[in-house]
Amino acid sequence: MKGLMIQGTASDVGKSLIVTALCRILSNEGVSVTPFKSQNMSNNSYVTREGKEIGRAQGIQAEAARTEPSVWMNPILLKPRSAQDAEIVYLGKAIETLSGRGYRDHFYEKGLAVIKESLQHLADKYDVVVIEGAGSPVEINLKDRELVNMKVAELADIPVVLVADIDRGGVFASIVGTLELLEPNERERIVGVIINKFCGDLSLFEDGVQWIEEKTGVPVLGVLPFVENHMIDGEDSLSIRTQFAYPKKGTLDIAVIHLPFISNYSDLEPFLFEEDVTIRWVKYASEFGQPDAIIIPGTKSTISDLQNLKDKQLDILIKKHVANGGFILGICGGYQILGEELIDKSGSDTNIPNFHAKGLSLIPATTTFYQDKETNPVNAQYHQATGLPAHQRLEGYEIHLGKTTFSNEAKPFLTLANGDDEGYFGNDGQIIGTYLHHLFHNDEWRNQWLNMIRKKKALPVQGVKSISEYKDKRFDILANEMKSHFKWDLMKKLIHQWGTK
């Protein structure tokens, strides 16, 4: 197998972004390339064409590589459901929920076997595999049964590049400390270091590069600038903080309720590129303000997050906002929260069978949670009752537990390709609920919804912005930017000549 593994000195140092760039660089050079991450922990997921669930980052990396995303690129996905437990998604399908201890004690051999199978599958199909690690390779308390870093590099028998984030400080200590804590055989596999998120004049770090190389004997393969607005979806809560930490000021104020177990927050990212939109998180009542619209996003623990929302008295503010004519849209778990009642019949959401909770009662609906999860790609059009252009097509995906039924007559939002009704469309679009993730990645719909709000504020309507086309261009912009700072000829040599001597 030919390839390269990107590991980090810590979480959120930029591994996912670098793997994405490498996939597009190699693809641009005519190489058949695939991403791989053995085990991902994220509630930000991606549904493949077959309706299987993988980490969002690997789906995006596959798009950058110009190949079809598959479960072999991320065979194990852990989706946190509480501070202690996570749902295990195995080859795209949820199989069980385990505690951290339970996972470590009982899943290791099964995990190891599927990682080996996945690597072999990818080696048979692609010329090069670019592998992403997780966290740090020297978490001493976890190393003996880890499935994400050096064990994977050993199974694939490929070299490793270590990434360090200079923006957070302590870059020299993080590099040297990581190398010192590796076992000798692991240390031999490290062939280079990348310094990421550098701000300012790169020439000012030349002495730093020299020191690292002299101290460690490992070449610095690149010093990468801090890349803003890269439009590459993140995979964890750290990415949320980074991407939405400093909202721009626009004339449309959209408040997003920050649920503790938020999932698939990539639903929101297209708003970052609408010039007149401010998109901001709301965790507490003091942050609520007077938004033009509210979005309640998806969640991995709907009833728990509903209670959290009530505990903070955000439910009162949300209902007042709607009563005053404000727009609200709930996606997946957010849609369920907007209903009248939530019934956990199987205990799949709360671990308490037949648990009942009262929703916000903004939609006349009841959601009942069963054991089986829906994971489907979706093609749809607006339901004729909405009065929206019926010819427009929408694409996205469903990932949810629970079925939502209406207690009285209601307008559906969408008509699915199989003819089924989906979602809720109330008060001419003031209140909307849907299970469709990536709804706002549909450029025409996003424009339609924002223009509803603009009209209410007596602002001029705007035309459609093609974020989807811009996103693909961003892959090339990112790849070209990164490549200009890599020692690319050396990196290619490392990929193709490792283990040949």
Side-chain angles (χ1 to χ4, degrees):
M1 176 182 291
K2 293 180 180 179
L4 195 67
M5 185 167 189
I6 304 299
Q7 296 185 18
T9 58
S11 295
D12 200 42
V13 299
K15 296 185 293 292
S16 295
L17 191 67
I18 290 170
V19 170
T20 303
L22 289 172
C23 285
R24 178 50 66 101
I25 292 169
L26 289 163
S27 177
N28 284 345
E29 294 191 354
V31 176
S32 172
V33 58
T34 179
F36 179 74
K37 187 167 184 176
S38 56
Q39 172 188 290
N40 211 334
M41 178 171 282
S42 175
N43 278 331
N44 208 29
S45 56
Y46 187 108
V47 173
T48 68
R49 189 183 299 274
E50 298 79 20
K52 303 294 182 67
E53 197 173 358
I54 64 174
R56 182 78 199 155
Q58 282 61 65
I60 294 300
Q61 290 159 0
E63 291 179 8
R66 299 187 176 94
T67 191
E68 185 69 31
S70 78
V71 295
W72 304 111
M73 298 172 185
N74 177 217
I76 305 169
L77 173 62
L78 306 179
K79 304 190 74 174
R81 296 188 60 185
S82 70
Q84 301 294 329
D85 301 328
E87 178 184 72
I88 301 173
V89 179
Y90 177 85
L91 288 177
K93 298 295 289 184
I95 58 170
E96 59 183 323
T97 296
L98 291 175
S99 67
R101 171 61 67 183
Y103 179 78
R104 180 174 166 81
D105 290 347
H106 303 298
F107 193 79
Y108 182 77
E109 296 301 332
K110 185 172 184 176
L112 201 61
V114 78
I115 291 166
K116 292 177 181 178
E117 182 183 5
S118 299
L119 286 169
Q120 186 59 57
H121 182 92
L122 296 177
D124 291 342
K125 185 175 181 180
Y126 297 95
D127 297 330
V128 172
V129 58
V130 182
I131 302 180
E132 180 182 341
S136 161
V138 289
E139 303 293 352
I140 302 304
N141 59 316
L142 302 176
K143 278 194 61 165
D144 62 324
R145 295 176 74 81
E146 66 97 356
L147 292 170
V148 290
N149 287 309
M150 282 299 177
K151 185 61 178 179
V152 177
E154 176 189 331
L155 291 173
D157 192 19
I158 61 173
V160 174
V161 173
L162 188 66
V163 179
D165 176 359
I166 196 170
D167 187 58
R168 67 175 62 190
V171 70
F172 299 103
S174 68
I175 293 169
V176 174
T178 299
L179 294 174
E180 286 295 318
L181 289 171
L182 290 170
E183 299 296 330
N185 63 310
E186 297 171 334
R187 174 66 177 76
E188 292 173 2
R189 201 173 285 278
I190 303 290
V191 296
V193 171
I194 291 173
I195 309 298
N196 195 26
K197 303 183 187 178
F198 187 92
C199 297
D201 185 347
L202 292 174
S203 67
L204 296 176
F205 196 67
E206 290 175 357
D207 290 346
V209 169
Q210 182 179 348
W211 187 92
I212 292 169
E213 293 182 337
E214 290 177 354
K215 178 69 176 179
T216 68
V218 177
V220 175
L221 299 175
V223 180
L224 308 180
F226 198 110
V227 180
E228 295 184 287
N229 295 336
H230 51 69
M231 196 63 178
I232 310 302
D233 299 351
E235 67 175 2
D236 57 26
S237 59
L238 292 175
S239 298
I240 293 178
R241 291 178 224 158
T242 300
Q243 289 179 278
F244 297 96
Y246 306 105
K248 65 184 187 306
K249 299 298 182 183
T251 53
L252 299 185
D253 179 21
I254 299 177
V256 182
I257 305 302
H258 194 304
L259 306 172
F261 291 98
I262 183 174
S263 66
N264 294 80
Y265 67 86
S266 54
D267 289 337
L268 309 169
E269 289 176 324
F271 291 115
L272 295 174
F273 300 91
E274 294 283 354
E275 294 179 0
D276 66 338
V277 172
T278 297
I279 184 113
R280 59 185 177 87
W281 293 113
V282 172
K283 283 188 176 182
Y284 305 102
S286 60
E287 301 170 337
F288 192 82
Q290 295 182 315
D292 298 307
I294 297 169
I295 296 175
I296 305 182
T299 165
K300 196 69 187 66
S301 295
T302 304
I303 294 175
S304 172
D305 280 354
L306 168 63
Q307 187 58 52
N308 179 273
L309 184 152
K310 291 179 178 179
D311 290 343
K312 295 175 178 177
Q313 298 187 321
L314 284 167
D315 58 327
I316 298 170
L317 296 175
I318 291 170
K319 290 179 181 180
K320 182 177 179 180
H321 164 85
V322 174
N324 290 334
F327 288 82
I328 190 165
L329 190 146
I331 300 174
C332 198
Y335 171 30
Q336 296 168 342
I337 285 171
L338 292 177
E340 295 173 326
E341 188 174 23
L342 297 89
I343 304 171
D344 192 5
K345 184 173 182 179
S346 66
S348 57
D349 189 73
T350 62
N351 293 323
I352 305 172
N354 296 313
F355 186 91
H356 287 234
K358 183 176 175 57
L360 300 189
S361 297
L362 295 172
I363 290 177
T366 296
T367 295
T368 304
F369 294 95
Y370 300 98
Q371 195 63 44
D372 294 334
K373 179 193 284 190
E374 295 283 344
T375 57
N376 302 303
V378 174
N379 288 283
Q381 62 191 61
Y382 301 124
H383 192 278
Q384 61 180 4
T386 65
L388 298 172
H391 65 280
Q392 287 185 9
R393 300 290 188 241
L394 294 91
E395 295 182 350
Y397 53 91
E398 293 178 275
I399 309 176
H400 64 91
L401 290 166
K403 295 185 182 298
T404 299
T405 56
F406 295 100
S407 55
N408 54 48
E409 188 173 348
K411 286 184 182 179
F413 175 38
L414 302 173
T415 300
L416 303 181
N418 64 5
D420 289 348
D421 295 340
E422 198 284 326
Y424 174 84
F425 190 86
N427 297 352
D428 295 324
Q430 181 203 357
I431 305 171
I432 295 175
T434 179
Y435 279 116
L436 186 62
H437 285 292
H438 267 210
L439 172 67
F440 290 112
H441 286 251
N442 291 275
D443 298 320
E444 292 80 6
W445 161 252
R446 187 181 64 256
N447 180 252
Q448 182 86 37
W449 189 68
L450 289 175
N451 278 340
M452 291 181 194
I453 304 170
R454 290 177 182 124
K455 288 177 182 177
K456 183 177 179 183
K457 293 193 70 174
L459 296 171
V461 299
Q462 296 193 17
V464 177
K465 292 181 175 64
S466 182
I467 300 299
S468 54
E469 290 181 10
Y470 179 71
K471 185 173 183 177
D472 193 68
K473 291 177 183 177
R474 288 299 300 173
F475 285 138
D476 284 324
I477 293 170
L478 174 68
N480 292 335
E481 175 73 7
M482 295 286 192
K483 186 177 179 182
S484 71
H485 296 285
F486 285 145
K487 295 178 181 177
W488 183 238
D489 289 340
L490 177 55
M491 292 182 73
K492 285 198 295 184
K493 183 178 179 180
L494 293 168
I495 290 171
H496 292 287
Q497 295 186 9
W498 172 265
T500 58
K501 295 182 180 180

